[in-house]
Amino acid sequence: MEEEVEEVEMESVGEQTEASGSIPFQLQFDKPVPFQVKMAEWNPEKDLLAIVTDESKVLLHRFNWQRLWTIIPGKSITSLCWSPDGKLIALGTEDGSIFLHDVENGKMLRSMRTHDAAVICLNWEEDALKAVDRDRHFVYEDRTTRFFPPPPQVPRIPGLSDGDLEETTQQLSSVSCQRFNILCSGDRDGCICFSIFGIFPIGKINIHNILLPNHLGTNYQYQLKNASISKVALSRDLCRLEVLCFGELIELGTSPKNNDTLVGFHCLNLDTSIFLNRKNELHQVAQQASNIEDVVEVVRASISVMSKQWTDAMSLFKSKFQAIASLIAEHGLDSNSQDEFLSLLLGVRTSPALQQFLLNTLGEAGVKRLSKTVDNTGKEVRTVLNEHLQPALEIIGFRVGELRGLSRWRARFKSVGLDEKLMDNVTETSGMLLIQAERFSRVLTIVLFLFQNFFNWVLKCTKILLQEPTDQVQQANSELVVVFLKFLLQSDPVEQLLEAKYSVEVDMETMKRIEQMVAFGGYRDVTFLEKTLASECNKLEQCLKEAFLMPFTTVSETVACKGLAPLFPVASPTPSTSLPIPMSIHYYKDEVDRASEIDKASPNLTDYTCFKVLDGSLGLKNCIGIVRGFMGAGLGSSVNAEESCLDALLVHLPDQYDCVDLSLYKENQIVLLLNDLESNSETAERSLMVMMQASDLPFVSVSLSMSDNIFLLHQLEDSMMNLDLDIGKFRAIPHHVTVPLAVSASRGLACVFSSQRHTLVYILDEDEDEVSEME
Amino acid sequence: MSPQVPQSGIILGRYEAALLCLGTLHSRFGHSKTALDALTEAVCFSQRNNDDACLTYTLAAICNLFFETGTSRHSIGIIESPHSLGTSTGMGTPSSTQQLLLVLLKRSLKRADSLKLTSLSAHNRLTLAKFDLKHVKRPLVSFGPKASTNLKTCPIDVCRELRLSGRVLTDFGSDNISLLNDSGTFSTSWLKNLATVNNKNMWSIHRNDYDVFNWYLQPSPIPASVLQLAGSSYLLRSTSWEHYGSAPLVRVNALVYATCFADVASSSESSLAYVKLIQHLAVFKGHSEAFSALKLAEEKSSSTSKFQIRLLRLQMLHDRALHRGHLKLAQKLCDDLGDLASSGNGVDMDLKTEASLRQARTLLSSNQFGQAEAVASNLFCSCYKYNMQVENATVLLLLAEIHKKSGNVMLGLPYALASLSFCKAFNLDLLEACATLTIAEIWLALGPGHAKRASYLVHKSLPMILGHGGLELCARANFALAKCYLSDPTFSIVTDPSCVLDPLSQAAEELQILEYHEMVAEAFYLIAMVYNHLGMVDEREEAAASFKNHLLSLENANQAEDEELLFY
């Protein structure tokens, strides 16, 4: 591996000397790729590049192009992003699901269906800034790890060895909850979802329902129609969300007369300050809740595994013992198997049917085999009960208790929607489930004991009929055989408890006891023992869903739009929605003078939005737009619409070049990927990679309150700047390039894909360049 | 619970089994020394006869003996007796009862596991869990400056042991021994059940009788001893959560016991479950609900469990008397409790500690600080002597309270901090939150300059207190929170009155349920002052009226108390 890297570097150095010495970006390597690449994203922490191909395969490559793994999710992938710690990959799909995959092995850890339409964009942001609020700087402790061993995992079905999925889900909820982060996703139908740690859904907004504020000097408010989200970007302090979307802007209260002019790309500034202000509370709730959901999954799976194993064993038992009925009929007897066994037990007679059954149909070996099967199944069910179900319920009880405690802190947790009543409800249900599990364990033990006893008796009878000695057979209790014949030969109380469809008959004595318990603080719902284990588990899931829906809706309601900037109109809406246009949003630490305007909680952050203007919009061609400070605009001075202005610039690219992709890069740079349209197969330079210092560009201050020209770019047409290739650094690339351009700010790398299926990795950073050369 | 006499022991050799029985009986009747003599001899003979089962049972019996007498005066003599059972204290360090107990317990457990004596192994695990609950784990190897000197109990071990001991139920029948042990009890109960059903005319050998006859009514073939062991694990869980601080789990585990094991429970254990439930009610729902539940429990309880219920009654009456300000009654109840602690059966150290604690608390309420301190200090000394660390934390906290109330606020701080570190070591989270709250109150008392620090501490303790603390504790925390804001010079009541009024009214509400007149009056006083400041006259008058009412009922306490005394 090491050698390969060296070889590559030597190759690249050679290439550079061959070309001119002033070429800025050093080529690290050039490798063929056997597929068309759709998306690519560098890991924020390590030198790993995740690639999605046109066939929606996902590959993970190392910096030295060694491939770590390939997965085929089986669905069309529409978006890709890394978790902030670089340990997870989030994939958005065509059908609205989001998958989380482990970076180590590519295993899917979680799949969530939060959207109804294709997930176009994902953004996963960690809270990078420390909260300075004085009374919030203590951390909540999750006590569970101190009092409990690691939670049980989903039990395996014996015979299947695919147990890797479970091992990692557990890691997901316990490890990924270290620092507060939010995964934000936008879909084609205009919905934006938020989830804490990528696993706990905490909000969903539909931008069609959001009232857009009015910077435009009129009293009307706006709404978007037919919108689809193109890009979302949370600020690093999580309190702002910038949304780029395509849609039709309509004025409320006016007749739709000039709507066609308002179709286009818009930029929204959403206020998500609850993520900053209630960070600790949300963190705590999400951490407990996602852990609870994981463990509830274990409970559910345990019940189904037990049910499966038990019914398998019982159907075997029934199929074997069914033979008696037919034998009885053959012998023309008017009785049933129960009576026949009873008369055998009571020593009245051994009917020929039963004799034939015991000696020929079942046989001694058959009894032993059946006894062994039931015994083993019993052991397995017991293991699941002891090692999975009961510990899981215990942990649920504890965690729910913690959440209930938090819900009682109304001053803090009411605002994130943790409801005391609903949590009380969950607490009660989880307690009832614990009682249910204890009852189940008792019923199971009794039933297994009865089975064991019954088989011993049958074996003994068989031996007697065979006139063999019976001293090797264990003694059987006759009363228990009667109980077995009466209650277990025809029915199955264990199965009844494991299936949700039954209801359990509770005897008077127990009922009375439970009614008495109410006075001692027992459960008010005295009929809970009539439910089965499975239906109580369903109820718990239902209660949890209700309880966690409250934070979800509460947080969703707090998200409001603070600013609107219509960027540019699009004449025909059809092509733009299907073809993603290159755009990039980045938040930079900014110079001091701008920082003073912005809210104190988010110091020194300025947003840059860079996008390609669709050809033909406003008669422009081959242009890119850059907007700066939109998220800051209207924040400090939202009352005064006059002052809400921002910096923007329209850059016209030389006509021979076509902008393929663009990306914002660390220290206020913009990296452009341009294809040379005039080149042909003989030309050496067929495309260009250009890097510009964005802060040096001649931005124009634009007011958002101009009423006659709604679209921002209208105001910029006059001050359009022609891109002079001399102002930035550029490098020629000897291939036609395609999307995507993947830049890595942490490592200073850019990965470019050529249309001839080549991957080229360039080093963007001069300093690092020198270091690597010295090495 | 004493281990059953092993059946297999009788087969191999009867002498050691007889010795074991003798020892068990001796320890049952409180003759620890003779019991130990018999048990030691049983160990010798079992070893000589290679009777592993009997040896295991004997070891468990010795553990029981140590555990029950471990903290009392008598045990000192026993441990120093020459019978050190091979674990001779030749290492120079005084091997405490606890260490000896742990070694024996682990040995017995290992043997029980290897011999597949499931009931004994479950029993040993329960004892081990009880032990681990208060046992500080010392790191085995600790060298150098970086070695962790963090001494803590290990709750995960307790949890593991309890889970394993609960398996005795599901493991029943998996070992073939249990089948052999049919003593006929099941057949008897089955016949009895049959007879009752026959009387009801429900049993008939017809095909459809399954529909009328419930199989859950069948007598359980599982022996009661096994079920009792399984149930004890839930009771112990409940106790452990009282220590660790999780109110819902205390209640749920007691409820599981009362619901699922009521039919087989021994009377003392089932009344223990009821005691836990009623205590939970008293702390979270107030006195009236708890007393009505207590009445029900008294009707149910048998003569053997009377003691526990009577104790509970005294405790609850004492709490109520303190809240209502009936100090004479409280004093009388304390004396009764003290009598109960040293009854004819020997001194119950736990009970004695509790009686002294309550004594100190009563003195504190009647502002006799010097005496209260003397009682508490005495108590601390005896707890220290008998290694009752968990109780130490409580006593230290009480000492801090006494100093805080007596005016020597600064003197209280070291006590509170000491209590805090005890709580940390023993994972007593609720008590830790309580100590944090006390420290916050101490800072508050030191002047407005410390309000910020106090506020931080109160906030830190709030999640724990609101989640798992009772009405009184929650009210105290809310009260402290409001006071923090009020004494913070940078805080302006006009801009955000709700952040003072909400906790105050919450506290007043909780204290009213407890009939804690003194503190309710204080809360209403503060509420009235805040409204006055805000210029809201009507609300002010309302709060002032409530203040007056509660003050009056506090003054009338003497009169009501005389009635109570008569009634009592």
Side-chain angles (χ1 to χ4, degrees):
Chain A
M1 200 194 303
E2 283 291 311
E3 281 170 32
E4 199 187 337
V5 179
E6 255 171 54
E7 189 187 71
V8 169
E9 274 180 14
M10 287 202 1
E11 179 195 335
S12 62
V13 169
E15 195 176 304
Q16 198 192 14
T17 41
E18 196 181 288
S20 127
S22 66
I23 289 176
F25 312 125
Q26 186 194 343
L27 178 70
Q28 185 69 20
F29 58 78
D30 177 348
K31 298 265 181 188
V33 277
F35 34 70
Q36 199 65 46
V37 175
K38 192 156 73 172
M39 276 167 265
E41 213 50 71
W42 286 97
N43 184 307
E45 294 282 317
K46 293 163 215 144
D47 286 330
L48 297 169
L49 182 68
I51 297 173
V52 178
T53 69
D54 260 359
E55 297 95 56
S56 283
K57 282 186 199 168
V58 184
L59 303 96
L60 187 72
H61 278 274
R62 272 197 165 150
F63 179 57
N64 61 15
W65 215 242
Q66 180 195 13
R67 192 188 296 175
L68 290 177
W69 45 256
T70 309
I71 49 167
I72 305 163
K75 282 185 181 162
S76 172
I77 301 210
T78 46
S79 50
L80 163 75
C81 95
W82 285 93
S83 69
D85 59 2
K87 285 178 183 148
L88 298 171
I89 300 176
L91 300 172
T93 65
E94 183 70 41
D95 66 347
S97 304
I98 295 174
F99 300 141
L100 299 184
H101 287 263
D102 189 356
V103 64
E104 297 291 336
N105 45 29
K107 290 243 158 61
M108 186 172 80
L109 304 179
R110 195 63 72 96
S111 97
M112 286 173 301
R113 224 180 127 193
T114 41
H115 293 272
D116 298 324
V119 181
I120 300 294
C121 49
L122 290 165
N123 175 235
W124 201 333
E125 204 61 55
E126 186 166 76
D127 160 56
L129 305 165
K130 285 199 176 97
V132 277
D133 216 334
R134 68 188 144 81
D135 62 346
R136 268 197 221 121
H137 60 101
F138 61 86
V139 278
Y140 296 118
E141 187 207 356
D142 181 14
R143 302 195 296 147
T144 319
T145 47
R146 191 145 52 90
F147 292 116
F148 290 99
Q153 290 158 11
V154 172
R156 295 173 191 199
I157 298 161
L160 294 177
S161 59
D162 186 23
D164 303 301
L165 194 139
E166 302 90 57
E167 277 165 37
T168 33
T169 20
Q170 183 219 321
Q171 282 174 1
L172 189 62
S173 55
S174 51
V175 174
S176 68
C177 299
Q178 304 295 331
R179 276 185 80 173
F180 189 64
N181 56 52
I182 285 180
L183 173 66
C184 179
S185 51
D187 71 18
R188 188 166 284 155
D189 283 354
C191 281
I192 301 171
C193 290
F194 303 96
S195 58
I196 300 175
F197 312 124
I199 51 178
F200 182 69
I202 193 63
K204 182 172 187 173
I205 49 168
N206 189 335
I207 55 168
H208 298 107
N209 303 335
I210 283 191
L211 285 181
L212 306 174
N214 179 12
H215 293 305
L216 305 149
T218 57
N219 290 323
Y220 298 118
Q221 286 197 303
Y222 286 86
Q223 246 180 337
L224 273 169
K225 244 173 83 179
N226 301 329
S228 86
I229 313 282
S230 305
K231 191 111 192 149
V232 285
L234 273 166
S235 66
R236 263 186 280 179
D237 56 6
L238 305 177
C239 73
R240 303 270 144 196
L241 176 72
E242 182 169 345
V243 180
L244 281 177
C245 59
F246 171 80
E248 186 180 330
L249 206 58
I250 51 165
E251 269 182 74
L252 286 180
T254 54
S255 51
K257 51 188 181 213
N258 52 352
N259 273 352
D260 46 347
T261 59
L262 297 179
V263 176
F265 274 89
H266 308 283
C267 194
L268 303 181
N269 175 356
L270 297 187
D271 173 22
T272 57
S273 51
I274 190 161
F275 293 139
L276 178 73
N277 297 335
R278 290 278 165 246
K279 185 181 82 180
N280 275 330
E281 289 79 7
L282 286 171
H283 186 153
Q284 186 80 346
V285 171
Q287 188 174 359
Q288 294 287 7
S290 56
N291 273 302
I292 290 173
E293 279 173 348
D294 278 3
V295 187
V296 168
E297 191 44 50
V298 174
V299 172
R300 162 139 314 283
S302 303
I303 292 177
S304 73
V305 166
M306 290 195 292
S307 171
K308 165 112 187 33
Q309 284 178 297
W310 185 255
T311 35
D312 282 357
M314 282 304 109
S315 59
L316 181 71
F317 169 75
K318 286 202 177 111
S319 70
K320 295 271 181 202
F321 273 70
Q322 221 114 60
I324 309 178
S326 48
L327 281 171
I328 289 170
E330 269 174 36
H331 285 84
L333 296 166
D334 181 27
S335 66
N336 56 22
S337 51
Q338 189 182 327
D339 291 348
E340 294 299 325
F341 273 117
L342 267 177
S343 64
L344 175 64
L345 179 72
L346 298 172
V348 183
R349 65 184 181 112
T350 311
S351 70
L354 193 56
Q355 187 159 4
Q356 193 183 344
F357 170 75
L358 289 178
L359 295 182
N360 304 331
T361 321
L362 198 59
E364 191 187 333
V367 177
K368 281 185 178 161
R369 216 177 303 128
L370 204 53
S371 161
K372 188 101 192 141
T373 313
V374 173
D375 198 39
N376 283 341
T377 308
K379 273 198 189 110
E380 275 156 14
V381 172
R382 256 198 307 251
T383 313
V384 174
L385 177 69
N386 283 333
E387 286 171 15
H388 298 272
L389 185 70
Q390 284 186 325
L393 289 178
E394 211 181 348
I395 290 181
I396 291 175
F398 181 76
R399 286 196 182 271
V400 166
E402 295 291 278
L403 264 184
R404 177 181 157 271
L406 295 180
S407 74
R408 288 160 60 98
W409 194 353
R410 282 173 224 142
R412 282 277 163 92
F413 285 89
K414 193 99 190 153
S415 55
V416 297
L418 198 62
D419 187 80
E420 203 180 333
K421 279 227 173 63
L422 292 175
M423 279 323 294
D424 275 348
N425 203 3
V426 177
T427 316
E428 298 291 276
T429 315
S430 67
M432 290 177 196
L433 200 52
L434 209 62
I435 295 180
Q436 288 271 4
E438 191 50 49
R439 174 179 66 175
F440 174 75
S441 110
R442 195 144 148 194
V443 170
L444 177 72
T445 310
I446 294 175
V447 167
L448 285 173
F449 190 68
L450 289 174
F451 262 105
Q452 208 179 343
N453 188 63
F454 176 70
F455 284 129
N456 282 341
W457 176 72
V458 171
L459 189 62
K460 197 178 157 197
C461 292
T462 315
K463 290 225 173 197
I464 290 172
L465 288 173
L466 288 169
Q467 290 173 340
E468 283 177 18
T470 57
D471 46 333
Q472 291 295 310
V473 185
Q474 278 175 351
Q475 279 293 321
N477 182 314
S478 316
E479 290 89 343
L480 288 178
V481 175
V482 174
V483 174
F484 181 89
L485 291 175
K486 286 253 67 130
F487 299 113
L488 296 185
L489 198 59
Q490 307 291 339
S491 81
D492 186 356
V494 173
E495 190 218 340
Q496 281 185 8
L497 286 176
L498 288 172
E499 301 287 337
K501 59 188 175 197
Y502 298 104
S503 81
V504 184
E505 211 176 307
V506 184
D507 58 291
M508 296 289 288
E509 208 178 307
T510 316
M511 211 56 203
K512 219 173 106 193
R513 201 189 305 145
I514 292 171
E515 276 161 17
Q516 272 184 354
M517 292 305 295
V518 177
F520 292 97
Y523 299 114
R524 300 215 173 275
D525 174 18
V526 289
T527 58
F528 73 95
L529 275 184
E530 285 169 13
K531 289 200 192 93
T532 67
L533 187 62
S535 48
E536 193 70 57
C537 177
N538 288 344
K539 194 186 159 201
L540 177 69
E541 278 185 338
Q542 189 58 38
C543 291
L544 280 172
K545 216 169 143 191
E546 268 173 43
F548 296 151
L549 192 66
M550 274 299 273
F552 185 83
T553 46
T554 313
V555 170
S556 304
E557 279 161 15
T558 62
V559 176
C561 186
K562 287 279 174 200
L564 163 72
L567 295 178
F568 59 88
V570 176
S572 55
T574 30
S576 52
T577 38
S578 53
L579 276 178
I581 63 162
M583 49 181 64
S584 174
I585 305 174
H586 210 296
Y587 292 87
Y588 292 112
K589 281 205 170 118
D590 201 40
E591 313 85 67
V592 193
D593 60 322
R594 290 194 59 87
S596 55
E597 295 172 19
I598 304 169
D599 190 32
K600 275 279 174 284
S602 54
N604 305 348
L605 277 181
T606 309
D607 58 286
Y608 277 77
T609 310
C610 187
F611 52 92
K612 185 187 171 187
V613 182
L614 271 186
D615 286 352
S617 168
L618 299 170
L620 295 169
K621 219 170 172 292
N622 222 6
C623 283
I624 60 166
I626 307 167
V627 174
R628 176 170 77 180
F630 167 62
M631 302 304 276
L635 273 191
S637 53
S638 55
V639 189
N640 192 349
E642 292 298 309
E643 281 179 40
S644 48
C645 54
L646 46 82
D647 295 339
L649 181 67
L650 195 61
V651 179
H652 182 250
L653 304 173
D655 281 335
Q656 81 179 94
Y657 292 108
D658 169 44
C659 177
V660 176
D661 202 354
L662 50 82
S663 179
L664 286 157
Y665 178 62
K666 56 182 179 185
E667 289 150 15
N668 300 0
Q669 290 118 337
I670 300 169
V671 181
L672 299 176
L673 199 58
L674 308 174
N675 259 343
D676 192 341
L677 295 172
E678 289 169 10
S679 67
N680 50 38
S681 52
E682 278 93 55
T683 353
E685 301 180 359
R686 302 184 59 189
S687 53
L688 278 183
M689 184 158 63
V690 184
M691 188 197 270
M692 300 186 290
Q693 193 65 36
S695 45
D696 297 344
L697 295 173
F699 278 101
V700 185
S701 184
V702 184
S703 166
L704 283 171
S705 52
M706 295 272 284
S707 52
D708 40 343
N709 288 329
I710 278 188
F711 283 101
L712 208 62
L713 294 192
H714 265 303
Q715 304 176 45
L716 295 170
E717 274 176 292
D718 306 333
S719 53
M720 184 160 69
M721 180 191 104
N722 282 314
L723 178 69
D724 187 356
L725 287 178
D726 290 341
I727 66 159
K729 293 187 279 190
F730 66 93
R731 157 152 197 161
I733 297 168
H735 299 281
H736 254 298
V737 290
T738 61
V739 285
L741 163 73
V743 298
S744 158
S746 62
R747 288 288 298 187
L749 295 170
C751 185
V752 176
F753 298 92
S754 82
S755 45
Q756 264 80 45
R757 300 194 167 179
H758 268 259
T759 306
L760 302 107
V761 171
Y762 291 94
I763 295 175
L764 293 178
D765 232 317
E766 299 294 285
D767 298 340
E768 218 160 303
D769 211 8
E770 281 157 30
V771 171
S772 67
E773 266 173 54
M774 266 156 61
E775 280 169 0
Chain B
M1 171 167 306
S2 55
Q4 303 162 324
V5 178
Q7 308 276 325
S8 47
I10 297 169
I11 298 160
L12 286 164
R14 287 166 191 245
Y15 184 56
E16 59 263 26
L19 281 170
L20 172 58
C21 291
L22 183 67
T24 319
L25 284 174
H26 271 308
S27 65
R28 195 47 153 208
F29 291 114
H31 313 139
S32 316
K33 210 167 159 110
T34 19
L36 194 65
D37 284 338
L39 290 174
T40 322
E41 208 171 335
V43 170
C44 295
F45 272 89
S46 335
Q47 279 172 337
R48 204 175 296 162
N49 294 343
N50 286 330
D51 188 347
D52 281 337
C54 186
L55 181 62
T56 316
Y57 275 104
T58 314
L59 287 177
I62 295 174
C63 292
N64 264 356
L65 180 64
F66 278 1
F67 204 89
E68 272 158 30
T69 57
T71 47
S72 78
R73 246 166 253 270
H74 312 293
S75 64
I76 311 295
I78 298 171
I79 299 312
E80 283 161 7
S81 71
H83 316 287
S84 37
L85 300 165
T87 52
S88 70
T89 54
M91 288 145 74
T93 49
S95 155
S96 68
T97 329
Q98 299 201 334
Q99 275 166 304
L100 197 58
L101 176 61
L102 189 63
V103 170
L104 283 179
L105 208 51
K106 290 212 161 146
R107 240 185 240 184
S108 174
L109 181 63
K110 214 166 144 191
R111 277 167 188 277
D113 278 344
S114 63
L115 291 172
K116 292 217 163 82
L117 303 169
T118 46
S119 294
L120 182 65
S121 143
H123 173 81
N124 280 341
R125 285 188 192 283
L126 276 179
T127 322
L128 200 59
K130 256 185 241 169
F131 185 82
D132 278 341
L133 197 58
K134 296 182 180 182
H135 177 69
V136 174
K137 282 262 158 77
R138 217 165 294 191
L140 278 176
V141 196
S142 59
F143 293 120
K146 279 193 178 171
S148 122
T149 47
N150 206 358
L151 296 177
K152 275 200 159 190
T153 56
C154 191
I156 290 180
D157 281 359
V158 177
C159 176
R160 280 207 184 103
E161 297 297 344
L162 283 173
R163 278 181 188 171
L164 287 174
S165 74
R167 284 188 195 172
V168 67
L169 178 62
T170 45
D171 287 348
F172 172 75
S174 61
D175 53 346
N176 295 325
I177 306 162
S178 45
L179 277 177
L180 292 170
N181 284 354
D182 185 14
S183 54
T185 40
F186 169 73
S187 305
T188 319
S189 64
W190 190 78
L191 282 172
K192 262 189 202 158
N193 194 48
L194 198 62
T196 52
V197 174
N198 264 333
N199 288 342
K200 284 180 196 159
N201 221 357
M202 281 167 87
W203 175 272
S204 51
I205 311 246
H206 280 304
R207 270 166 53 179
N208 287 331
D209 61 348
Y210 174 74
D211 301 332
V212 260
F213 195 63
N214 193 331
W215 102 276
Y216 286 97
L217 272 180
Q218 288 296 311
S220 154
I222 311 170
S225 65
V226 171
L227 285 171
Q228 278 178 4
L229 270 175
S232 308
S233 126
Y234 280 98
L235 272 185
L236 194 54
R237 266 175 231 204
S238 183
T239 313
S240 78
W241 289 113
E242 276 170 9
H243 278 93
Y244 298 144
S246 174
L249 282 187
V250 172
R251 170 169 166 256
V252 163
N253 282 312
L255 274 177
V256 170
Y257 187 88
T259 315
C260 298
F261 297 96
D263 47 346
V264 291
S266 66
S267 63
S268 72
E269 282 202 319
S270 81
S271 61
L272 183 59
Y274 284 119
V275 165
K276 284 188 192 302
L277 287 171
I278 294 168
Q279 276 174 338
H280 191 271
L281 276 181
V283 169
F284 289 91
K285 298 272 156 87
H287 299 303
S288 58
E289 267 193 51
F291 273 103
S292 58
L294 180 69
K295 213 171 169 192
L296 277 178
E298 275 170 341
E299 283 162 15
K300 287 180 89 157
S301 68
S302 62
S303 56
T304 42
S305 58
K306 272 277 188 285
F307 178 75
Q308 277 162 303
I309 301 287
R310 211 172 116 212
L311 181 64
L312 177 68
R313 188 180 180 80
L314 283 178
Q315 289 166 337
M316 279 165 57
L317 281 172
H318 183 252
D319 282 339
R320 193 171 68 176
L322 279 189
H323 287 155
R324 288 182 173 172
H326 298 172
L327 295 174
K328 264 184 277 172
L329 179 65
Q331 185 56 48
K332 191 171 178 320
L333 289 165
C334 252
D335 295 342
D336 285 0
L337 209 61
D339 293 345
L340 219 55
S342 40
S343 58
N345 302 351
V347 182
D348 184 333
M349 273 311 284
D350 289 329
L351 202 51
K352 203 167 176 236
T353 317
E354 189 174 344
S356 309
L357 261 178
R358 285 181 185 272
Q359 172 82 17
R361 236 172 237 147
T362 316
L363 289 167
L364 177 62
S365 302
S366 52
N367 290 339
Q368 291 166 307
F369 302 117
Q371 285 178 47
E373 200 206 331
V375 172
S377 313
N378 251 335
L379 184 58
F380 176 77
C381 291
S382 60
C383 284
Y384 189 80
K385 189 168 161 195
Y386 297 121
N387 236 349
M388 295 162 81
Q389 317 279 16
V390 177
E391 287 76 7
N392 267 345
T394 324
V395 181
L396 284 169
L397 193 59
L398 181 64
L399 276 166
E401 293 277 342
I402 293 169
H403 286 294
K404 189 190 85 193
K405 255 193 146 180
S406 71
N408 285 329
V409 182
M410 238 10 228
L411 270 181
L413 198 56
Y415 288 112
L417 288 170
S419 173
L420 194 70
S421 63
F422 264 114
C423 292
K424 281 206 170 110
F426 288 93
N427 289 302
L428 308 171
D429 287 6
L430 186 58
L431 201 60
E432 185 187 332
C434 196
T436 314
L437 182 63
T438 305
I439 295 172
E441 285 168 346
I442 288 173
W443 284 119
L444 262 182
L446 284 174
H450 301 287
K452 277 220 166 67
R453 191 197 295 259
S455 159
Y456 166 72
L457 288 171
V458 174
H459 275 113
K460 196 175 156 188
S461 65
L462 268 182
M464 198 60 215
I465 289 181
L466 292 179
H468 307 292
L471 289 172
E472 190 182 346
L473 200 54
C474 288
R476 245 181 80 193
N478 275 323
F479 209 70
L481 188 64
K483 271 188 168 171
C484 284
Y485 285 118
L486 288 177
S487 50
D488 187 348
T490 58
F491 175 78
S492 153
I493 187 80
V494 185
T495 49
D496 196 2
S498 69
C499 77
V500 175
L501 285 174
D502 283 351
L504 276 180
S505 50
Q506 182 76 31
E509 197 182 300
E510 285 156 346
L511 292 165
Q512 269 171 321
I513 299 173
L514 288 175
E515 305 169 56
Y516 201 159
H517 299 305
E518 192 184 348
M519 273 183 76
V520 189
E522 208 177 329
F524 275 118
Y525 175 76
L526 282 179
I527 292 175
M529 292 296 279
V530 170
Y531 278 129
N532 184 40
H533 204 84
L534 294 171
M536 296 159 84
V537 182
D538 291 348
E539 285 88 346
R540 182 194 69 189
E541 289 309 314
E542 201 180 311
S546 304
F547 168 68
K548 197 178 153 198
N549 281 341
H550 283 282
L551 218 56
L552 278 177
S553 33
L554 188 64
E555 274 166 13
N556 292 339
N558 285 329
Q559 203 185 336
E561 187 180 3
D562 292 337
E563 287 164 24
E564 281 274 325
L565 272 170
L566 271 177
F567 176 69
Y568 173 70

